[in-house]
Amino acid sequence: MRSPRRCSRNGCPRQAVATLTYVYNESTAVVGPLAAFAEPHTYDLCEQHARSLTAPRGWDVVRHEGEFEPPPPTTDDLVALAEAVREAARPVAPRPPQDDHDPHHPNPQTPPTGRRGHLRVIPPNH
C-alpha cells in the first residue's frame, strides 16, 4: 500500500495537500491542489508551506485560493490494503523437520522464523 505523500520541505512530516510547479520561462511559481501523481520537477507541499511559499525576487507566485484538502484514498490504496490483510491471514505451511547437519540451519537451537509475503515473524527471545 502506498503511504500518503509527504511535504517536500526538509524536515516537514506533514501530509502534502498542494503541488508546486515552477514555470521557468515565465519566472512563475504555481501552487495548486495536489496533483494526482508525483511528477519529476514538482514539489508536494503541506498546507502551511503552500500558503507561506515565497518566490525568488523577480518571480511571481500564482496560488490556488480555495481550500487545500488531502486526496481521498484511491481504489488502488483500498485494494492494496485488502490484499495485505488477506496475505497476513493466510496460514503458513508447516516446515519439514530439519536435519541437525543441515548447512542452511547451522544452529539447531535457533527457533525458526515464519514468512508471510514481505513480512517476517520473529519469535521472542527466551
Side-chain angles (χ1 to χ4, degrees):
M1 182 172 87
R2 291 179 301 173
S3 60
R5 286 163 41 194
R6 298 284 176 209
C7 184
S8 297
R9 296 290 298 262
N10 285 339
C12 183
R14 291 185 287 270
Q15 182 177 7
V17 295
T19 297
L20 165 65
T21 306
Y22 289 108
V23 183
Y24 292 98
N25 61 349
E26 296 180 19
S27 300
T28 303
V30 179
V31 180
L34 187 64
F37 300 98
E39 297 285 338
H41 310 295
T42 64
Y43 303 89
D44 293 337
L45 299 174
C46 66
E47 185 166 6
Q48 177 184 347
H49 288 122
R51 299 241 182 256
S52 66
L53 177 90
T54 58
R57 186 173 296 143
W59 282 57
D60 294 318
V61 176
V62 175
R63 193 181 326 267
H64 173 71
E65 292 301 324
E67 293 296 315
F68 289 115
E69 297 181 14
T74 66
T75 302
D76 292 343
D77 292 338
L78 298 175
V79 169
L81 177 59
E83 288 175 1
V85 169
R86 279 193 291 273
E87 177 68 24
R90 280 192 195 119
V92 176
R95 293 182 179 204
Q98 297 290 327
D99 183 7
D100 286 347
H101 302 324
D102 184 352
H104 299 291
H105 233 281
N107 184 354
Q109 302 302 320
T110 304
T113 59
R115 288 195 66 80
R116 292 196 174 174
H118 66 284
L119 303 175
R120 207 168 35 150
V121 178
I122 301 174
N125 292 332
H126 293 283

